Amino acid sequence: MIDVIDLRKRYGDLEVLKGITTTIREGEKVVIIGPSGSGKSTFLRCLNCLEDPTGGEIIFEGVNIADMRVDINIHRRRMGMVFQQFNLFNNKNVIENIMLAPVYIRTQELRAKKIKNFFIRIRNLFTSNKKELYEINTTKAKIIEEAKEQALKLLRRIGLEDKAYVYPSTLSGGQKQRIAIIRSLAMNPKVILFDEPTSALDPEMVGEVLDLIKQLADEGMTMVIVTHEMGFARKVATRVLFMDEGQIVEENTPEELFSNPKHPRTKEFLSKVLSVH
Amino acid sequence: MGSFAKKVEKFWEVFYEHGGYTRVLTGLRNTFYIAVAGLVIGIIIGTIIAIIAVSPKYKRLPRILNRICRLYVGFFRGSPMVVQLLLFYFVLLPLFGSRMTPLSVCMLVFGLNSGAYVSEIMRGGIMSVDPGQMEAARALGLSYWVSMLKVVVPQAVKNIIPTLGNEFIVLIKETSIVSFVGASDLYVAFSYIGSNTYEFMVPYLVMALIYIVLVAIIALIVKMIERSLRKSDRRN
């Protein structure tokens, strides 16, 4: 579903990604591990072009989204992203956070159709071969109603229905992150990118967030996860990538990679992080 | 002290019995009109300039726009407002053959001028918003401008309300220069009273008091607005 071909990113003289090639297939849960500064977050952020790659291609659903001429906004709607710092919109309450993008984008589409229909009607006045109008079976009120229903359903799922109308500043880190996750779910994404989703959380809240991610994984959502939680990586991943110095050093199934690493750099890293736990 | 009482009596005579207060009220109204219009125009222009200033510059159009905005800010911050007012009223308007009233020229110039200052205030406000907010909105597929308007600018505005209130106060006080182009404000009203009584002490004292009270009221309103906007920060 996502084909990454020789992806490169440099900041000035510093080359952060030195040619990454990999394929993320539908339903896969890819976990990226590696020491800090290895470029794993940059790689993830390049996948939805939050950082513009300086070289290479990212083919998502058949389109090279690394190309600057592509309207990236359309493709980002199909890719959810969850951040380390949650990034809930502080000026909006929980349900507005979830509804903002779906409502805006659907009303925008509705408006575009209406405008097109208007021109088709005018055109039809002057020609005998009538063009068909786009079908419009919704209104703005209906869009809002549906988005609200969906948002409440998602909130119910994570047991935070009673928090629908409070502002993010009143929530705990774990609650914020779970809401950030369902906010990205509200767009019905094909894939969700997780950028260290538990690194900014208190230890006691890590569990609830990981549980939710695990649930989504079990439902068959495609995921790319950057994390330091090795135990979680082992449980959820279908494939683990080990990155170092801007390259994928080793990739394998979690069982193989954790218990039988081949590359010396992987061995060294794993011995360090696993001995701590 | 006796002479002061006499002066007050004289002032009162012109102010109240000879209808001087209607001029004061008109002046007050004009002062208010100019300051409010100035602030509204200033916020609109300032927001546009600030967004252009912080937008990414790898395309040509934003770069050119940014250059224009910098010239604009340079001019309006680099010259006194009196000079701008005179330039507009006595140079630009005759050149274009336009017949604007002094009052509307003042509103326009105050707006253009405060636009330059508000743009800097706004830029600071936008930059103080966590960049993660923009990233989150972009990651959901909203465009740069929509993310800016729906997520970043509302938070920026909240951060800069106190500074904007300050800008409004500055505008109120600056209105005392509009008599240069013949618009009437508080200063004009009180100097009329003064020249009718040949006595300027009391009128100008009252004028100062009115300004102080006006500013105090505005400061209070700003504080109330600020408090109501902070509701998303407070726990529950």
Side-chain angles (χ1 to χ4, degrees):
Chain A
M1 184 164 56
I2 306 178
D3 285 304
V4 183
I5 303 162
D6 195 34
L7 181 69
R8 285 167 191 279
K9 174 72 183 173
R10 59 161 63 244
Y11 297 101
D13 288 337
L14 184 70
E15 192 163 36
V16 185
L17 298 180
K18 297 170 184 165
I20 290 182
T21 303
T22 187
T23 299
I24 292 149
R25 279 173 288 273
E26 190 144 10
E28 250 190 332
K29 294 104 185 71
V30 178
V31 171
I32 305 170
I33 58 171
S36 40
S38 59
K40 48 193 197 308
S41 274
T42 309
F43 171 55
L44 196 76
R45 290 161 60 83
C46 278
L47 284 181
N48 68 352
C49 295
L50 271 187
E51 306 282 351
D52 288 311
T54 39
E57 291 178 11
I58 300 164
I59 315 286
F60 175 59
E61 295 180 317
V63 181
N64 177 17
I65 57 172
D67 188 339
M68 294 293 264
R69 285 165 296 185
V70 170
D71 182 2
I72 187 67
N73 296 328
I74 291 167
H75 299 285
R76 279 192 186 134
R77 287 165 201 170
R78 318 289 295 148
M79 287 176 142
M81 180 142 190
V82 175
F83 298 86
Q84 185 177 355
Q85 298 295 341
F86 331 127
N87 294 347
L88 292 181
F89 305 135
N90 295 325
N91 57 329
K92 304 208 174 296
N93 65 29
V94 168
I95 198 157
E96 286 167 348
N97 258 283
I98 302 170
M99 285 165 60
L100 174 70
V103 168
Y104 181 80
I105 285 159
R106 281 170 211 160
T107 39
Q108 225 32 32
E109 283 165 359
L110 176 69
R111 194 175 306 160
K113 268 189 196 167
K114 276 185 181 164
I115 291 170
K116 274 185 195 150
N117 274 356
F118 175 75
F119 284 112
I120 291 173
R121 276 206 194 92
I122 289 178
R123 182 185 168 280
N124 285 352
L125 284 180
F126 297 104
T127 59
S128 53
N129 105 59
K130 306 280 182 210
K131 218 167 151 185
E132 247 180 85
L133 295 177
Y134 288 92
E135 201 180 333
I136 294 179
N137 45 17
T138 183
T139 59
K140 182 156 187 191
K142 218 165 151 192
I143 288 172
I144 294 173
E145 194 52 45
E146 281 168 8
K148 196 168 179 180
E149 228 165 72
Q150 186 198 18
L152 285 173
K153 209 168 98 192
L154 287 165
L155 280 171
R156 217 170 294 140
R157 166 180 186 161
I158 58 169
L160 290 178
E161 212 183 344
D162 54 326
K163 301 283 187 193
Y165 295 99
V166 305
Y167 283 90
S169 57
T170 64
L171 299 172
S172 74
Q175 291 171 332
K176 280 186 203 171
Q177 191 62 299
R178 285 186 290 151
I179 286 163
I181 292 171
I182 61 166
R183 178 176 69 177
S184 69
L185 274 183
M187 299 292 294
N188 302 318
K190 283 283 207 184
V191 49
I192 303 185
L193 314 172
F194 292 90
D195 186 4
E196 304 195 19
T198 57
S199 298
L201 293 174
D202 290 343
E204 52 177 330
M205 292 168 182
V206 171
E208 58 188 76
V209 172
L210 291 185
D211 283 346
L212 178 59
I213 299 175
K214 182 80 173 69
Q215 268 180 41
L216 296 179
D218 292 343
E219 285 164 20
M221 177 62 75
T222 315
M223 296 178 174
V224 184
I225 309 171
V226 171
T227 186
H228 292 294
E229 300 281 335
M230 295 303 155
F232 176 70
R234 196 189 283 248
K235 239 190 327 189
V236 163
T238 55
R239 183 154 58 104
V240 180
L241 307 182
F242 174 71
M243 277 182 73
D244 192 26
E245 293 180 349
Q247 278 168 324
I248 297 177
V249 175
E250 190 171 347
E251 60 179 299
N252 216 327
T253 59
E255 296 80 27
E256 271 296 302
L257 192 114
F258 284 115
S259 51
N260 191 12
K262 302 214 167 44
H263 197 279
R265 192 68 192 86
T266 320
K267 280 181 196 161
E268 189 196 334
F269 176 75
L270 285 178
S271 73
K272 272 185 198 156
V273 289
L274 293 179
S275 66
V276 178
H277 290 286
Chain B
M1 221 43 222
S3 74
F4 186 71
K6 217 166 174 187
K7 282 176 178 176
V8 172
E9 210 170 277
K10 246 173 163 182
F11 166 73
W12 188 249
E13 198 184 305
V14 178
F15 179 76
Y16 186 68
E17 280 152 31
H18 294 189
Y21 65 92
T22 54
R23 283 174 183 260
V24 171
L25 284 181
T26 323
L28 203 60
R29 193 199 63 194
N30 285 352
T31 292
F32 217 70
Y33 276 0
I34 294 167
V36 169
L39 191 71
V40 170
I41 298 172
I43 288 176
I44 294 168
I45 293 178
T47 308
I48 294 170
I49 294 180
I51 291 178
I52 290 170
V54 297
S55 65
K57 304 278 187 310
Y58 46 75
K59 282 188 194 139
R60 183 179 282 165
L61 182 68
R63 270 209 298 260
I64 296 171
L65 286 176
N66 192 37
R67 191 70 60 77
I68 296 171
C69 291
R70 285 224 301 271
L71 277 177
Y72 175 91
V73 173
F75 172 72
F76 280 99
R77 283 204 310 186
S79 56
M81 187 139 39
V82 184
V83 175
Q84 294 159 18
L85 206 54
L86 295 177
L87 269 181
F88 258 80
Y89 193 69
F90 293 108
V91 181
L92 272 183
L93 289 193
L95 270 180
F96 289 107
S98 158
R99 289 166 178 269
M100 279 170 93
T101 62
L103 184 65
S104 39
V105 171
C106 289
M107 288 182 182
L108 184 67
V109 171
F110 273 66
L112 293 174
N113 182 288
S114 84
Y117 287 94
V118 172
S119 76
E120 286 298 299
I121 299 172
M122 204 63 179
R123 197 169 62 92
I126 288 173
M127 291 199 318
S128 73
V129 174
D130 172 16
Q133 300 282 314
M134 174 56 104
E135 275 177 7
R138 296 305 309 275
L140 285 166
L142 301 176
S143 70
Y144 179 83
W145 291 94
V146 174
S147 314
M148 211 54 177
L149 289 178
K150 297 235 165 192
V151 177
V152 178
V153 169
Q155 293 183 48
V157 167
K158 199 172 71 180
N159 290 343
I160 62 167
I161 284 287
T163 334
L164 272 186
N166 201 33
E167 174 68 19
F168 187 54
I169 289 170
V170 169
L171 284 175
I172 289 262
K173 294 191 294 185
E174 282 277 298
T175 53
S176 55
I177 64 169
V178 301
S179 59
F180 275 82
V181 295
S184 61
D185 73 323
L186 274 183
Y187 163 72
V188 175
F190 279 105
S191 55
Y192 164 81
I193 295 175
S195 50
N196 267 307
T197 55
Y198 306 107
E199 198 286 300
F200 288 94
M201 186 189 203
V202 180
Y204 286 170
L205 205 61
V206 174
M207 179 170 78
L209 273 178
I210 290 183
Y211 271 120
I212 289 168
V213 170
L214 211 57
V215 167
I217 293 171
I218 291 162
L220 198 73
I221 293 172
V222 169
K223 194 160 253 177
M224 275 158 57
I225 295 173
E226 202 189 328
R227 202 172 300 157
S228 75
L229 280 178
R230 289 258 167 243
K231 71 174 186 289
S232 59
D233 289 354
R234 235 182 300 149
R235 306 221 139 223
N236 75 54

